[in-house]
Amino acid sequence: MGESMTVPFLDLKASYNELAAELDTAVLRASRSGWYIGGAEVETFEAEFAAYTQAKYCVGVGNGLDALILALRALDIGAGDEVLVPSHTFIATWLAVSAVGAIPVPVEPISGSYNLDAASAEAYITSRTKAILPVHLYGIPADMDAICQLAKKHRLAVVEDAAQAHGAKVRGKRIGSHGDVVAWSFYPGKNLGALGDAGAITTNDTTIAQRIRKLGNYGSSVKYFNEERGINSRLDPIQAAILAVKLKHLDAWNTRRENIAQHYTRALAHLPITLPQVPAWAEAVWHLYVIATPQRDLLHASLTKADIQTLIHYPVPPHLQRAYMDVGASKLSLPLAERYANEVLSLPIGPQLDAEHVEKVISVVADTSTSTNS
């Protein structure tokens, strides 16, 4: 095994090369169509993604953050409303709530997990709470049955952030329509990624789907007649064509991720590090393989020195970001979120990662973890 071999965190060029002929054909077809906003490419992808996620409707939008914002707006969540969010997540989840004037109320994860805990969430529900916004973080789904049951008990809406969970399942049912509306990102690094920014929402509710489509089109259902103050957030036809190609390969690529994850878990189980846990009722899609250790920075440095690319998701929790200093979020007591920020490390797990790369990662993680605890 060559010491000079670089292990990429995620090789987007390799993923393109694997599907180059199909992708190039799709891009050329969309380019030659003469239809550059909406049209057949978008309609085809929306129908196929709705079917894949077992939802009635899919509405393409510009990106994942827009999908969250439009979902909240479609549910009439706004100024002064409270939305329960995970304390440990990418800040976009919080930003969407803030963008509609609502207040993000953080809930800690289940101990040993990274997802919002429905049991803990109930204590944070007040008369101002209007929705729960769980995130299926790292490709491991949240317990939607428990969350939806809690929401029904308190008459709350459920907006799912599924930006990292394309293809994941809860008790045999794909993520896509457990809650009122599900927001998706197709950022290039996602399991289902475009060649640029793109997003979508899925839902079983006709009214929600129609309103999101209207809000993302300047608040207009008929050209030049604007019923609401909307925005411009529409899925690009070229990106839709690309996504339709990649959707056909999503399950196979998720299986590759699963195989790598299983190999990591078997090989690293004896080490003094915390490995990701998947509940028996869940089927993860391994957007990320996230380990945790108090020696994170040392392990990160060792892997970097060995030319192994890793990332930290996420080094600063939302409540400690400068973006939320003005509302006093830093005074919140969120010890799990803060601990994870100091301990988590994401190992390479892209579908184009080969066996030699995986073995090199395992070797360096094992050597470093053993030496620091000997």
Side-chain angles (χ1 to χ4, degrees):
M1 188 182 299
E3 289 300 317
S4 62
M5 176 180 61
T6 297
V7 179
F9 182 76
L10 179 64
D11 194 338
L12 292 178
K13 186 174 181 180
S15 69
Y16 164 77
N17 287 339
E18 184 175 332
L19 305 178
E22 293 177 74
L23 292 171
D24 290 353
T25 298
V27 169
L28 189 59
R29 182 185 67 243
S31 299
R32 287 175 169 173
S33 72
W35 198 287
Y36 305 122
I37 300 291
E41 298 290 353
V42 174
E43 292 168 2
T44 296
F45 172 72
E46 288 179 340
E48 291 177 353
F49 192 64
Y52 178 83
T53 59
Q54 299 174 284
K56 290 183 180 178
Y57 307 104
C58 170
V59 180
V61 298
N63 56 68
L65 179 55
D66 282 357
L68 286 168
I69 293 170
L70 290 167
L72 293 167
R73 284 196 61 185
L75 293 167
D76 291 318
I77 294 168
D81 293 336
E82 294 179 352
V83 179
L84 304 189
V85 296
S87 63
H88 176 68
T89 185
F90 181 52
I91 198 171
T93 312
W94 287 44
L95 292 176
V97 176
S98 300
V100 299
I103 301 165
V105 177
V107 178
E108 289 273 70
I110 301 168
S111 182
S113 169
Y114 297 112
N115 285 327
L116 182 147
D117 181 13
S120 299
E122 188 160 22
Y124 293 88
I125 296 173
T126 72
S127 61
R128 297 169 66 186
T129 308
K130 294 297 186 292
I132 306 176
L133 207 171
V135 179
H136 304 295
L137 202 62
Y138 306 148
I140 301 174
D143 189 348
M144 291 311 302
D145 290 352
I147 290 169
C148 289
Q149 185 177 10
L150 177 65
K152 183 177 181 180
K153 176 181 176 182
H154 293 276
R155 298 182 180 180
L156 305 177
V158 177
V159 177
E160 299 172 62
D161 183 338
Q164 301 183 4
H166 311 80
K169 294 180 181 180
V170 173
R171 296 177 179 89
K173 181 183 178 182
R174 284 198 200 276
I175 296 299
S177 62
H178 286 84
D180 294 284
V181 59
V182 185
W184 301 89
S185 168
F186 303 124
Y187 180 79
K190 304 300 185 184
N191 291 43
L192 179 61
L195 298 186
D197 267 330
I201 66 92
T202 54
T203 182
N204 284 336
D205 190 303
T206 305
T207 301
I208 290 174
Q210 290 175 342
R211 191 168 184 209
I212 287 174
R213 193 175 297 283
K214 178 172 63 177
L215 287 169
N217 187 43
Y218 301 98
S220 172
S221 299
V222 178
K223 194 169 185 178
Y224 301 132
F225 291 84
N226 304 81
E227 303 161 50
E228 297 189 66
R229 296 175 185 175
I231 62 173
N232 175 16
S233 184
R234 300 172 295 202
L235 178 60
D236 181 271
I238 293 177
Q239 298 299 343
I242 290 163
L243 289 166
V245 169
K246 288 192 167 186
L247 182 60
K248 295 176 175 62
H249 299 271
L250 177 59
D251 286 344
W253 284 15
N254 281 345
T255 297
R256 293 186 201 173
R257 290 174 179 269
E258 167 74 18
N259 292 337
I260 295 169
Q262 289 183 357
H263 193 31
Y264 278 153
T265 298
R266 288 191 299 266
L268 304 176
H270 67 288
L271 299 174
I273 57 178
T274 301
L275 302 181
Q277 302 295 315
V278 180
W281 45 260
E283 292 181 39
V285 291
W286 300 104
H287 175 62
L288 300 171
Y289 190 92
V290 180
I291 63 174
T293 171
Q295 305 297 321
R296 190 269 308 282
D297 292 344
L298 178 60
L299 178 57
H300 178 56
S302 295
L303 289 161
T304 301
K305 185 176 180 181
D307 290 325
I308 297 170
Q309 298 173 1
T310 60
L311 289 175
I312 297 170
H313 296 90
Y314 300 96
V316 182
H319 72 287
L320 296 182
Q321 295 280 3
R322 290 183 63 184
Y324 284 96
M325 289 294 107
D326 62 319
V327 294
S330 61
K331 297 177 182 177
L332 295 170
S333 177
L334 299 168
L336 268 179
E338 292 177 27
R339 193 186 90 198
Y340 289 158
N342 290 319
E343 293 187 358
V344 296
L345 185 67
S346 300
L347 303 181
I349 197 171
Q352 282 73 39
L353 201 66
D354 64 33
E356 191 175 9
H357 287 151
V358 174
E359 292 301 332
K360 182 175 179 179
V361 174
I362 290 169
S363 176
V364 175
V365 171
D367 289 347
T368 304
S369 300
T370 302
S371 64
T372 56
N373 287 274
S374 59

